[in-house]
Amino acid sequence: MENQSGSKTAGKAIRCRAAVCRNPGEALIIEEIEVEPPKAWEIRIKILCTSLCHSDITFWKISTGPFAVFPRIFGHEAVGVVESVGAHVEEVEEGDRVVPVFHPNCRECGDCKSQKGNECSIFGYKVETKMPRDATSRFKGMNGEDMHHFFYVSSFTQYTVVDVANVVKISNQIPVDKACLLSCGISTGIGAAWKVADIEQGSTVAIFGLGAVGLAVAEGARLRGASKIIGVDLNEEKFEIGRKFGVTDFINPTACVEKKVSEVIMGITDGGADYSFECIGLASLMEDAFHCTRQGWGKTVILGVEKHATPLPLNTYFLLRGRSVSGCFFGGLKPKSDIPMLAHKYLNKELNLDGFITHQLSLQDINKAFHLMLQGKCIRCIIWMD
Amino acid sequence: MADTKTCSETAGKPIRCKAAISREAGEPLVIEEIMVAPPSPYEVRIRIICTSLCYSDITFWKLKAPPACFPRILGHEAVGVVESVGENVNEVAAGDVVIPTFMSECGECVDCRSKHSNLCSKLPFKINPWMPRYETSRFTDLKGETLYHFLFVSSFSEYTVVDVCNVVKIDPSIPPKEACLFGCCVATGVGAACKTANVEAGSTVVIFGLGSIGLAVAKGAKLCGANRIIGVDVNPDKFEVAKKFGVTEFINSKECGDKSLSQVVLEMTGGGADYCFECVGISSLVEEAFASCRKGWGKTVVLGVDKPGAQLNLSSFDVLHSKKILTGCLYGGVKAKSDLPLLLKRYMDKELVVEEFVTHEVKFEDINKAFELLLGGKCIRCVIWMDK
């Protein structure tokens, strides 16, 4: 296959619309921007649709410190079509459908080649607000200002530029909006259930936080034959949705007056859950999740991003008695091999993705997605570019 | 030599014998005559052949607050001969050579039936003063005052009583001073490496604390085929000896200069160890061990017992981002009755050699010398022989 750029826009800057964040916690503004052509090892993508993930909100709110950079283009869960590629890019070409992923997967470093883990050491371990290889931006505002990238993806824009390590080619057969989901939250939850925890049939599972990630963990646990899937959430409306994803028991912590949540879970599971997942990002909940598992083999998986950098306090007493704690990014999955695997399962009707999409919006209404998520009224809002 | 009497003259009656009693926190043990009651149903009375001192005995000997209690008979690493059994005991009989274990295995509860746990829930591990089943003591001093048990074993006594769930029959030909080590340190360390961590061949392992437990982890890691076994200790005298146990490289944690211990380990291992074992019992060291593990798959196993209530603090972002695993185990995750025989077989097949652990031997009356040696970091295992 020749790597021809037949695109009329190849090699030139593209003018398009993007939802720009200029101040922390403020509504995004739809603006015209310029997207530069991809450099070596980069791919320019025409975004078809994108969705809002709570991690976008976490960083959107940050007002101080090295992560508070503006103006910025958020968004990291998306699907698109390759518009053009830079030098050395061979694995995708113009016209390919691709899913950008914040978690790199170069497939050449020792970590990528290892069966264990899903680390990729190509970019080191810094958190970047620009393109990973040369730390410069591909976005310019109409006044020529540089704009900051987000998590190597920046998908709240009609066009973006992404490193080849952050791109996964995906089949055209899977509906676009379902492909978009595999770019972050859903893959994270399913991967956590299947790869990091490796839930066996008959297991008991406790999930703290029934957002998209928590519900994806539930779906992953259900598919593995878990016997009990306990969902913990403050929002009782999540219970109905949770049922569709296999949640069998619900706990609203505000209703737990005499006992702690971990004690209630121990009661339901006759001693403690085999696996617990923290899918919110609060150290106190991570501690609860740790304490609700069964001694001897109970495993806690941390998925939530702790926004206050609060430390997680643990007592070695419990570690000695066999409990373990671990965490993961992107569910421990290797994006380039595992996203196609999940897409395949969806096409074979082995994996339910439809239930995650609760709202559809257009780019100009993107701020509605933020409102819905902040009010806990959506799971995934798909934001269409055209 | 095994006791070949099939019907003990003392069966069913209290035995008067010597014990080393801890009467006050941190004070030398006092050898006194005591009375040891006959075994209740499901219990076994054992004549101890020899026992060894473990730092966990010292931790609870020094501690003034609960779960420390006094007067107490400490000791939990030992080997002995069954003197008599209580009702309903069929798996051992008078004359059998046995290792008493602080970890129970009833064989019936969910945990005993699971291959993933060695934490019997029927007679759970507790640092409490009593026998596990009836919550009473079998020891009294000559004034009739109750003496407390320790870890269900209490081996610093010529005779002790343990539950049948805490007893493993062994081959009488195993030299007692090596057999007793399987009651704690050897099983804990080798089990932690081979069972809990499941160290793979070619791995890089870092062991924090080169006491008996750490050295046993080194033995286990070597059995598993680890490529590099890095030992970390504050005492450089331990380094030469540790080589015999399989340790390949050393870090003196007091000589890290401006760098943190974990930084030194990260540099030395090119990104972190595959497995880290904390074998001291200090929560801040557990944090260093966790930081010394490799991102992506590094596993940290906690073996050391810190003071009750000690907390360690992990960065939740580090836990999330690094995909490292933090866990721990008691007794190396080893099931006393199911796994110990397998470990002993490796010993009998000479795959696992333990004679290097025994650096000192004393008579029972000199038991306090064992404490001095261990507190001074001058011994690995000091075996205490009971008089015949």
Side-chain angles (χ1 to χ4, degrees), chain A residues 20 22 31 34 70-71 137 139-147:
Chain A
V20 178
R22 289 198 167 273
E31 298 181 14
E34 281 214 338
F70 306 95
S137 170
F139 300 123
K140 281 204 164 19
M142 291 320 290
N143 55 4
E145 67 184 326
D146 271 351
M147 294 197 172

Side-chain angles (χ1 to χ4, degrees), chain A residues 210 215 231-245 247 249-253:
Chain A
L210 296 178
L215 292 170
V232 183
D233 204 293
L234 294 171
N235 180 354
E236 298 216 356
E237 287 175 38
K238 300 278 174 105
F239 296 175
E240 262 326 292
I241 304 171
R243 265 187 235 285
K244 285 189 242 166
F245 292 94
V247 180
D249 298 74
F250 300 93
I251 300 175
N252 182 340

Side-chain angles (χ1 to χ4, degrees), chain A residues 182-198:
Chain A
L182 295 177
S183 167
C184 179
I186 310 314
S187 301
T188 296
I190 300 199
W194 288 358
K195 198 168 175 193
V196 181
D198 196 10

Side-chain angles (χ1 to χ4, degrees), chain B residues 205-242:
Chain B
V205 170
V206 178
I207 304 171
F208 293 77
L210 296 177
S212 302
I213 304 290
L215 294 172
V217 171
K219 284 243 174 215
K222 189 161 180 199
L223 275 177
C224 294
N227 186 32
R228 290 173 79 182
I229 303 173
I230 302 171
V232 182
D233 206 288
V234 297
N235 180 353
D237 294 337
K238 300 221 174 168
F239 296 168
E240 212 34 56
V241 172

Side-chain angles (χ1 to χ4, degrees), chain B residues 7 31 68 73 106 152 156 182 196 210 217 232 250 255 259 310 351 367:
Chain B
C7 182
I31 307 269
I73 298 179
C106 75
F152 304 150
F156 292 166
F182 288 82
T196 302
L210 296 177
V217 171
V232 182
F250 304 92
E255 284 178 8
K259 300 183 186 168
E351 253 188 271
I367 190 170

Side-chain angles (χ1 to χ4, degrees), chain A residues 294 312 314 319 321 325 327, chain B residues 111 119 312 314 323 326 328 330:
Chain A
R294 198 190 172 76
L312 169 59
L314 294 177
L319 294 168
R321 281 151 185 76
V325 61
Chain B
D111 295 81
L119 299 172
L312 66 100
L314 298 180
K323 223 198 135 201
L326 175 63
L330 286 170

Side-chain angles (χ1 to χ4, degrees), chain B residues 35-115:
Chain B
M35 298 304 292
V36 182
S40 298
Y42 300 102
E43 292 179 3
V44 178
R45 190 160 59 184
I46 301 171
R47 176 177 65 76
I48 298 292
I49 301 173
C50 63
T51 177
S52 34
L53 179 62
C54 171
Y55 215 94
S56 299
D57 294 298
I58 289 196
T59 298
F60 291 93
W61 164 76
K62 277 203 272 190
L63 194 64
K64 292 185 185 160
C69 57
F70 305 93
R72 193 174 213 169
I73 298 179
L74 297 164
H76 61 281
E77 198 176 84
V79 64
V81 179
V82 176
E83 171 270 341
S84 63
V85 302
E87 282 170 44
N88 304 320
V89 173
N90 302 307
E91 68 182 75
V92 292
D96 284 347
V97 178
V98 295
I99 292 176
T101 61
F102 61 87
M103 291 302 293
S104 322
E105 188 180 346
C106 75
E108 292 161 357
C109 67
V110 171
D111 295 81
C112 280
R113 282 183 283 120
S114 163
K115 63 180 176 185

